[in-house]
Amino acid sequence: MNILKLSTIVLVSASFSYAGSAIQTDWSGGQGVPGPVIEFGCDFFIEMGLDWWQAPGLLRLTGDIVEYVVDDNFDGAHSVHVSDIDGDSDLDILGAAYNANEFTWWENSDGYGTVWIKHMIASGFAYAYAIYSEDIDGDGYIDVIGAAFNDNSITWWQNSDGSGNAWIEHQISGSFAAASAVYSEDIDGDGDMDVLGTARSDDEITWWENTDGTGSSWVEHTIDTYYDGARSVYAADIDGDGYMDVLGAAVHADEITWWENSDTTPGYYWIEHTIDQNFNGACAVYADDINGDGYMDVLGAAVHDNEITWWENTDGSGDNWISHVIDTYYDGAHSAISADLDNDGDVDVIGTAELADDVTWWENTDGSGLNWDEHLIEGNFEGAEWAWPADFNDDGFLDIVAAAEYADGINWWDIASSNGYLESSILDTEDNPDWDYLDWNSSTPDGTSLLIQIRSSDDHTVMGVWSDTLSIPCLLSGILDDGDQYVQYKVLMSTTDPDTTPLLYNIMITWNPLGIEGGSEPEITALLPFTPNPVSSAPVVVFSLEEPAPVSLSIFDLSGRVVSCVLHEEYAQGFHEVQQGELTPGIYFCRMITEGFSATRRFIVID
């Protein structure tokens, strides 16, 4: 027996299948091959969120935006909001449809944002224009508030049992001309939630006091009756005095304004402060600490100026403002809202452009609010109206949902692609195997994970349920049923850092096929599994030959360095064992080559 010590070897990866083992090292052939197949090749069945094409021989997260359609037949979708309506701890979506005259919510039924069930809240409201959600009656269930433009109404619906299936309607106002926005906050500081609204025809900014905290009795308080084209309303403590102030956007007056809640009896006395009176077509207003200085700044969208802008509250008093333009070419800028989308600790901005049909986010690159990188989410969302951030798939990253009036759509986007999966083709082992081992080579940087699921069946049309997720290579005994002819694997990848991805280099399934059990002449040529694996002593290579043949065996480590090699040694038909020398702890591969056959197995050496 010739034992050679070599320093290096060039290993050419391939994808192949052989009796007793199947390995896949390349997915670049793409999806659409459900199987059964007799070798994995370079194809697979289906994937989402994974990159399999840019680097053949490598599987990773794409980092691309993934779009999910919630409803593409919501006629005149105009407004959108997010809450846990049914109390199941995942986030649902609410919408108002301008042409359908509907207020609706969609149940996030699988908790991952991939399956949505539509539930009607109310219909017959002429030009359902804006929607918001909050616990109005203090019962612990999320209720819904809506503004109907042509009905001149502000209404709230009581989520009577917390399931989102039974709603009781309560009108707050029926004479609020061209009701165009609605919001909820505790304006008077009494511990319950009040309601704010804008009336575009009445030019009003108004709040309604929830007098007993149950939402059954309301007192109207007008903040401003000369706010020309009142279009958007929000509440935040602008001057840091502990009282909730009110912000507004007036589309005809071209103004962004805040009203100081100044009285010792909050909500009853307001002082007006103009932030910008030349913001042409002021359409939306929001407040957040954009530059991280501890003061509340203001964000806005101007539909005629095509601008997304924020105003810096320079000393925290709300008296001195510096304007900072984020985008001046955002055609028909309609909405603006802020959130930390890239999990870097600062505030980014989300916007919609009604004429450009765009949904966009701008990255606050250094946290100062002075440098922005634009990221287009969707450039063909016709009549994009409003957007909202939320984590729909529970991956720790904020996603974005938006409504498009002309597309009649409610869609959401996973902008971080922090999760992905791939299902292999179904493999036909052409045998009734005793399952041996599931093995793979991967890289999982900090903050990432790579998990595998596997399943087998004796009927490829009914593969059954997936196994529990597996985080390390393992024996398949107790996971798969021996004798099942068909097998399939699933790869699941995730990351908590959008700039980092796990990597999968190869995956291998091994089994003991019929006809190679000890005590008889083998019917096939095979490289048998290492037993035990991991091994704490010198490993033994076991193989079978169906007829006499020269055999080459190579042992190499993860770097491709060959640590031992047997070249063209003649062996008779039968089973053979080749004892290896002591190896240092680590991961190794054994490759067997003989006439018309090659196979590779992985084994681990431990202390």
Side-chain angles (χ1 to χ4, degrees), residues 290-291 299 308-310 324-327 338-339 346-350 361-375:
I290 300 294
N291 58 355
L299 177 68
I308 302 291
T309 296
W310 75 279
H324 303 278
V325 176
I326 298 173
D327 197 321
S338 59
D346 56 40
V347 175
D348 309 301
V349 169
I350 307 158
W361 76 281
W362 293 267
E363 180 183 353
N364 189 355
T365 56
D366 60 4
S368 70
L370 302 179
N371 300 290
W372 301 90
D373 280 349
E374 181 176 353
H375 303 274

Side-chain angles (χ1 to χ4, degrees), residues 149-428:
F149 194 88
N150 278 14
D151 271 352
N152 306 319
S153 65
I154 301 291
T155 304
W156 80 277
W157 292 270
Q158 180 183 356
N159 188 358
S160 59
D161 63 0
S163 70
N165 293 313
W167 300 93
I168 300 173
E169 182 178 316
H170 304 269
Q171 187 177 82
I172 298 174
S173 177
S175 58
F176 200 54
S180 54
V182 68
Y183 187 69
S184 182
E185 184 54 83
D186 182 8
I187 297 298
D188 53 5
D190 63 356
D192 55 44
M193 301 306 294
D194 308 304
V195 171
L196 298 104
T198 60
R200 199 155 87 181
S201 294
D202 278 348
D203 303 327
E204 278 190 22
I205 300 281
T206 297
W207 77 280
W208 291 267
E209 180 183 356
N210 187 356
T211 57
D212 61 2
T214 68
S216 58
S217 176
W218 300 90
V219 175
E220 181 174 346
H221 302 275
T222 301
I223 298 172
D224 197 319
T225 57
Y226 300 100
Y227 201 53
D228 191 12
R231 178 63 184 84
S232 179
V233 66
Y234 192 70
D237 183 6
I238 295 297
D239 53 4
D241 64 355
Y243 298 141
M244 277 294 162
D245 307 305
V246 171
L247 300 103
V251 71
H252 300 319
D254 305 327
E255 286 187 10
I256 299 291
T257 308
W258 77 280
W259 291 266
E260 180 183 350
N261 191 352
S262 65
D263 201 293
T264 54
T265 305
Y268 285 80
Y269 180 65
W270 299 91
I271 300 173
E272 182 176 351
H273 301 268
T274 299
I275 298 173
D276 195 322
Q277 57 186 356
N278 193 30
F279 198 51
N280 191 10
C283 193
V285 67
Y286 195 75
D288 206 339
D289 181 7
I290 300 294
N291 58 355
D293 63 355
Y295 303 143
M296 193 62 66
D297 306 305
V298 173
L299 177 68
V303 68
H304 302 317
D305 268 348
N306 306 318
E307 266 189 32
I308 302 291
T309 296
W310 75 279
W311 294 266
E312 181 182 354
N313 187 357
T314 58
D315 60 4
S317 69
D319 293 326
N320 301 292
W321 300 91
I322 298 176
S323 173
H324 303 278
V325 176
I326 298 173
D327 197 321
T328 57
Y329 301 99
Y330 202 52
D331 194 12
H334 192 274
S335 72
I337 193 170
S338 59
D340 183 4
L341 292 174
D342 51 5
N343 278 5
D344 65 352
D346 56 40
V347 175
D348 309 301
V349 169
I350 307 158
T352 57
E354 184 177 21
L355 300 181
D357 304 326
D358 284 354
V359 181
T360 305
W361 76 281
W362 293 267
E363 180 183 353
N364 189 355
T365 56
D366 60 4
S368 70
L370 302 179
N371 300 290
W372 301 90
D373 280 349
E374 181 176 353
H375 303 274
L376 179 65
I377 298 169
E378 172 60 61
N380 193 32
F381 202 46
E382 295 179 83
E385 295 283 336
W386 292 97
W388 202 264
D391 182 4
F392 294 112
N393 52 8
D394 195 30
D395 64 354
F397 288 96
L398 288 174
D399 311 302
I400 295 174
V401 62
E405 183 173 352
Y406 307 137
D408 302 327
I410 302 286
N411 289 10
W412 76 273
W413 294 266
D414 181 355
I415 65 169
S417 290
S418 54
N419 287 291
Y421 72 90
L422 177 144
E423 293 182 17
S424 75
S425 304
I426 296 170
L427 181 77
D428 182 358

